[in-house]
Amino acid sequence: MARVDGVKVFLPFSSDVLDLSEEVARSFDIEYADATEHWPDSADSCEFYVPSYRFDPRVVEVMRSMPKLRIVQSLTAGVDHLMPYLPKGVTVCNGAGVHDAATSELAVGLMIGAQRRLADLVRAQDHGDWDQQMAGAVADRQILVIGAGNIGQAVRRRLDGFECDVTMVGRTARDGVHAMSELPDLLPGADVVVLIVPITDETRGMVDSRFLAAMKDGALLVNVARGPVVVTDDLLAEVSTGRLRAALDVTDPEPLPADHPLWHAPGVVITPHVGGASDALWPRAYRLVAEQLKRVARDEPLLNQVSDG
């Protein structure tokens, strides 16, 4: 996108938080816009749009009424929710790097919580029960992280001090990373399997009955990727017998209906897709948006492009 003074930009936060030089700032006409609470009349002139970080269809539906839209900078790593509403010719950039800290923290937190029975202990506290019994640990365990991108590597770094053995798996083999094709050999030895892969044709339904059957008895599945990576009925069949356990930040369907049996399955902990929902998001989001605007002003290639229009 060539530099044009006065490019209209819609942000879901104040531009005051962005580290922009006066020269760069003069290239843009920036307005606050959150389709869930405030939508400016100037939407028909917006060229650069940052949708609000809210799980609300309104923040993406509005793109259909933005005829001059050229760039969408998502604050989420996945952009599959944007695509059905995206006008032709629009460049999409994802939020890669924005959620590394928050999501990897939750992945490790779910792992520790499941191993140390924290959910059971909180329920015991509600009833005043002194539930003192031996629990599992992360130390000395074999941890298999499936997904060797930014967040997967952040999970690995956070596990460095836990005295466990971490094996990374990615789409292709490289230094320190095994290939997906090696999973049949790796799964039986893993005490904890962490999923942090993007949703693609290859990963949708990847964790099915065969995958789960290959996991060792008592193993823990941690999903901080996308719900459809796991075949819910197949997982439910395994956890219902007590053979496997699961800690899930994402589910399929999502939101999980209140009467869904997964809520009450033994050995299952569920959080409501909050992997990236921590205040660690904002400084990283501000840096990314500021960098993208600088690149637009200088007519330089954008970061994190997943669609070039």
Side-chain angles (χ1 to χ4, degrees):
M1 181 176 182
R3 173 175 173 175
V4 178
D5 288 346
V7 169
K8 175 68 72 175
V9 176
F10 277 7
L11 301 180
F13 42 74
S14 170
S15 61
D16 293 343
V17 300
L18 301 179
D19 182 15
L20 299 175
S21 67
E22 289 187 15
E23 179 184 5
V24 170
R26 282 196 301 269
S27 299
F28 303 102
D29 176 10
I30 301 176
E31 286 192 68
Y32 169 76
D34 183 336
T36 66
E37 58 183 43
H38 172 69
W39 195 244
D41 294 334
S42 55
D44 60 354
S45 63
C46 178
E47 298 180 61
F48 186 111
Y49 176 47
V50 180
S52 171
Y53 185 72
R54 300 193 188 197
F55 297 101
D56 188 309
R58 289 174 289 179
V59 304
V60 291
E61 289 170 351
V62 293
M63 294 191 299
R64 289 174 170 169
S65 60
M66 303 168 74
K68 293 188 177 180
L69 188 62
R70 293 291 177 267
I71 299 171
V72 174
Q73 173 60 61
S74 176
L75 298 181
T76 59
V79 296
D80 45 294
H81 64 296
L82 298 174
M83 294 311 187
Y85 306 94
L86 194 70
K88 291 183 178 179
V90 176
T91 296
V92 178
C93 303
N94 70 19
V98 168
H99 301 286
D100 297 2
T103 303
S104 59
E105 280 182 356
L106 184 66
V108 175
L110 287 171
M111 193 183 308
I112 295 171
Q115 292 294 89
R116 298 305 302 265
R117 302 180 53 249
L118 294 188
D120 291 340
L121 296 177
V122 169
R123 294 186 187 104
Q125 179 183 348
D126 290 341
H127 301 287
D129 295 335
W130 193 258
D131 181 15
Q132 189 179 48
Q133 55 182 290
M134 190 70 70
V138 174
D140 304 327
R141 296 301 189 267
Q142 300 290 324
I143 314 295
L144 187 63
V145 179
I146 304 177
N150 290 344
I151 299 176
Q153 293 295 344
V155 171
R156 179 193 57 75
R157 291 194 299 272
R158 280 157 178 76
L159 288 170
D160 279 348
F162 281 87
E163 301 179 41
C164 55
D165 187 2
V166 180
T167 300
M168 304 296 297
V169 178
R171 181 178 297 177
T172 57
R174 52 192 183 274
D175 187 28
V177 177
H178 294 264
M180 287 284 192
S181 59
E182 299 177 65
L183 277 176
D185 295 327
L186 296 171
L187 283 170
D191 298 293
V192 180
V193 176
V194 182
L195 304 174
I196 185 58
V197 293
I199 187 70
T200 65
D201 290 342
E202 290 75 25
T203 62
R204 187 179 298 274
M206 177 180 76
V207 182
D208 57 9
S209 58
R210 177 182 291 186
F211 182 108
L212 295 166
M215 292 174 61
K216 69 194 302 186
D217 290 355
L220 172 69
L221 179 74
V222 178
N223 190 4
V224 289
R226 286 291 185 269
V229 171
V230 177
V231 179
T232 300
D233 288 345
D234 292 352
L235 176 63
L236 191 57
E238 287 283 7
V239 296
S240 294
T241 68
R243 195 184 78 80
L244 297 180
R245 298 171 296 133
L248 311 172
D249 184 49
V250 290
T251 60
D252 183 25
E254 191 174 300
L256 195 65
D259 60 352
H260 198 285
L262 200 56
W263 282 115
H264 305 291
V268 175
V269 175
I270 298 172
T271 54
H273 201 154
V274 292
S278 86
D279 55 12
L281 159 74
W282 297 115
R284 291 158 179 80
Y286 301 154
R287 289 196 292 269
L288 175 59
V289 172
E291 177 60 28
Q292 298 289 55
L293 290 177
K294 292 173 186 176
R295 287 170 177 257
V296 171
R298 299 165 183 162
D299 196 21
E300 296 175 352
L302 297 169
L303 300 174
N304 302 346
Q305 289 192 45
V306 293
S307 169
D308 60 8

